[in-house]
Amino acid sequence: IFTNLVISMGSYEFYKMVKISGKEVYDKFGIIVAIIIPNLVYLSNKSSYLEQKLIAVVLIVATIFMLTYRVFRNQIKGTLEKVSFTILGIVYVSVFFSQIINLYFLGMIFPLILQVLVWVSDTSAGIVGVAIGRKFFKNGFTEISPKKSVEGALGSIIFTGLAFVLIVVLYIERINGTTIGEIFLSFITGAIISVVAQIGDLIESLFKRECGVKDSGTILMGHGGILDRFDSMILVLPFVTTVLYFFRLYVSYQYGI
């Protein structure tokens, strides 16, 4: 239910931004398709008869449907714009955020840890950025997000790495203890998640700049929209899921599991 709410509202906000920029999009159709995907991911985890490859089928069918609709309407102008922006909204909001369901089925703790790390990344970037300012790197990301600095980004990487080390030491390895190698690997993992989270934040800022809006929405009253709250997670979730997928393939190949 939570994932469906985030995706439906997030898709609405995305398409609204696109329309504010003066571009056309099949927003209602896009939201319907977007809501199908998390339910498909959920059912594929619950049932052995469904596979997540069906997500690709949904995207293909949706694209064919929109293009066929344009043909039968005998419409040329705006076809590339409407179809491409509709698909982008489905992939960016729905396919990406739906990966939280896959992580949930791996263990309830995974999405929670990621959310904590993303919060540490966002918070520490703001604190370090304000405390230090642009003393060493003058330009930063001024075009996409004027308030963000390289100093803040580096601070975020360090503090997120340390936060994951703390999580590993206090909770994950508290029974067997931790080695120096595990602590180092934990720091690197946290640092990488911070980098991905900040890129996710900048991607949403890029979209907002392109569309000429300050916030993706107003539903959270004073805190922007759903996309403003989950912009970092939208990229972190598919990244972590992909890494775990390839790690599983590697283990299967190496040990025949």
Side-chain angles (χ1 to χ4, degrees):
I1 294 173
F2 167 76
T3 307
N4 279 324
L5 284 172
V6 171
I7 287 174
S8 59
M9 290 187 288
S11 299
Y12 170 79
E13 289 178 356
F14 181 85
Y15 292 134
K16 186 178 179 181
M17 285 195 301
V18 172
K19 290 199 290 185
I20 288 173
S21 71
K23 299 177 178 66
E24 295 183 345
V25 67
Y26 289 116
D27 52 341
K28 294 181 180 64
F29 177 75
I31 292 170
I32 291 170
V33 176
I35 293 172
I36 291 172
I37 290 172
N39 292 285
L40 192 59
V41 173
Y42 177 81
L43 291 172
S44 67
N45 277 286
K46 296 286 284 185
S47 172
S48 58
Y49 297 102
L50 293 173
E51 294 185 7
Q52 294 195 31
K53 294 175 183 177
L54 286 172
I55 294 173
V57 174
V58 170
L59 294 174
I60 291 169
V61 171
T63 305
I64 292 173
F65 179 84
M66 285 186 287
L67 291 173
T68 304
Y69 176 77
R70 299 292 293 186
V71 168
F72 280 100
R73 288 291 301 269
N74 195 29
Q75 295 176 330
I76 298 174
K77 187 177 180 181
T79 296
L80 286 172
E81 182 178 282
K82 283 190 122 177
V83 174
S84 59
F85 279 117
T86 303
I87 292 297
L88 176 60
I90 296 168
V91 173
Y92 174 68
V93 181
S94 184
V95 176
F96 283 12
F97 195 79
S98 289
Q99 302 313 309
I100 195 172
I101 299 172
N102 285 325
L103 292 177
Y104 174 83
F105 276 97
L106 287 175
M108 290 177 61
I109 193 69
F110 285 108
L112 179 61
I113 290 175
L114 286 179
Q115 186 58 67
V116 169
L117 292 177
V118 165
W119 178 81
V120 171
S121 177
D122 290 345
T123 305
S124 57
I127 293 173
V128 174
V130 170
I132 298 178
R134 290 194 174 91
K135 292 183 179 178
F136 306 102
F137 304 94
K138 299 300 181 184
N139 292 327
F141 305 100
T142 51
E143 285 295 319
I144 297 174
S145 186
K147 293 182 180 180
K148 290 180 173 60
S149 64
V150 175
E151 289 85 350
L154 293 175
S156 172
I157 292 169
I158 293 170
F159 280 105
T160 309
L162 292 174
F164 193 51
V165 169
L166 192 62
I167 290 172
V168 169
V169 171
L170 292 179
Y171 297 100
I172 299 176
E173 294 291 342
R174 62 182 173 181
I175 298 174
N176 301 321
T178 51
T179 64
I180 297 298
E182 288 171 337
I183 290 174
F184 177 74
L185 182 60
S186 299
F187 179 82
I188 296 299
T189 302
I192 292 171
I193 288 173
S194 174
V195 171
V196 176
Q198 292 183 76
I199 293 172
D201 191 354
L202 289 169
I203 288 172
E204 207 244 340
S205 295
L206 187 151
F207 287 152
K208 289 190 292 186
R209 284 271 168 184
E210 175 84 13
C211 296
V213 298
K214 183 178 181 292
D215 297 315
S216 66
T218 57
I219 193 170
L220 299 178
M221 289 183 286
H223 296 278
I226 290 296
L227 292 182
D228 294 316
R229 295 301 95 200
F230 291 100
D231 50 5
S232 298
M233 282 291 280
I234 283 175
L235 195 64
V236 167
L237 290 168
F239 173 79
V240 172
T241 305
T242 303
V243 170
L244 290 175
Y245 172 77
F246 281 109
F247 178 74
R248 182 180 176 185
L249 285 182
Y250 172 76
V251 171
S252 299
Y253 175 76
Q254 285 289 101
Y255 303 103
I257 298 174

